[in-house]
Amino acid sequence: MKKLLLSAAFLAVALTPAMAADVVELPVASTYNWTGFYLGAHVGGGKSKVDWEFTAFGTTADHDGSGAMGGAQVGYNFQSGNIVYGVEADISAAKIDGDTDCPNPAFSCESDVKMLGSLRGRIGYAMDRLLIYGTGGLGFGTVEISTSPATSDTTKTRAGWTLGAGLEYAFDDHWSLKGEYKYFDLGKADYTTGFDENVELKVHIHTGVIGLNYKF
């Protein structure tokens, strides 16, 4: 019996370090660093809300629009601990259009967001290869309006602001995939229709895109 107890005690002492190594797992440091310059492309869609008022008469032709967009982005990230911050610029060709009857129902009042872009700050929290971030800054876009049939288009590029959020995942040391939502407020602008009628236009846009980035 004494030999058996001594053998068991020896075995327990021998196994304790190995068991402790299996049970106690030391925290693993983050292996991915988000710092660096990146370039990428995106594709997605948007929905617009257009507030349209004929200023001389106080009549309206408000309507919603929807459509596709796609373009490119460029930016730079800095990482400090788990915090990632930086700046990003993007530009998209778009076809976010909508229409409704004008106050004179013989005509259609139409809008088309043809371009969207932004210059924004980004700040987020990194969990190794996964980044959760918020973003905001300058937003701008090109909006065309028309009253059809048989009138000319009026196009203006307008500046406003944008705010959004996203998720980005780095699946190797260079490539990452992101999903991003942004809201654009392009403010208020005056247009003139083909009938020389003055229109006050307010445009708000919701966008969602999927993007692919390459970090150098």
Side-chain angles (χ1 to χ4, degrees), residues 40-43 73 167-168 176-180 209-213:
H42 61 266
V43 65
Q73 65 271 357
L167 292 171
E168 189 167 355
S176 62
L177 185 68
K178 73 172 183 177
E180 183 177 84
V209 301
I210 295 173
L212 186 66
N213 287 328

Side-chain angles (χ1 to χ4, degrees), residues 93-137:
K95 180 67 175 175
I96 304 172
D97 56 356
D99 63 82
T100 190
D101 288 342
C102 293
N104 178 351
F107 295 90
S108 175
C109 290
E110 303 168 354
S111 68
D112 187 1
V113 180
K114 292 181 168 293
M115 181 273 289
L116 281 173
S118 66
L119 177 60
R120 296 169 284 107
R122 293 205 318 170
I123 186 166
Y125 186 85
M127 293 175 283
D128 197 10
R129 293 182 177 272
L130 178 64
L131 175 65
I132 304 170
Y133 65 89
T135 185

Side-chain angles (χ1 to χ4, degrees), residues 1-14:
M1 176 65 71
K2 183 182 287 187
K3 288 184 178 180
L4 182 62
L5 291 174
L6 288 172
S7 298
F10 177 78
L11 183 63
V13 170

Side-chain angles (χ1 to χ4, degrees), residues 152-176:
S152 60
D153 302 327
T154 305
T155 303
K156 288 189 176 184
T157 298
R158 308 161 51 168
W161 57 271
T162 184
L163 194 65
L167 292 171
E168 189 167 355
Y169 182 77
F171 49 87
D172 69 15
D173 288 341
H174 296 288
W175 292 100
S176 62

Side-chain angles (χ1 to χ4, degrees), residues 53-72:
E53 181 181 356
F54 289 95
T55 53
F57 310 106
T59 53
T60 61
D62 300 346
H63 59 272
D64 298 332
S66 62
M69 57 185 289

Side-chain angles (χ1 to χ4, degrees), residues 82-101:
N82 292 98
I83 303 302
V84 177
Y85 58 96
V87 63
E88 181 175 287
D90 62 28
I91 192 163
S92 305
K95 180 67 175 175
I96 304 172
D97 56 356
D99 63 82
T100 190
D101 288 342

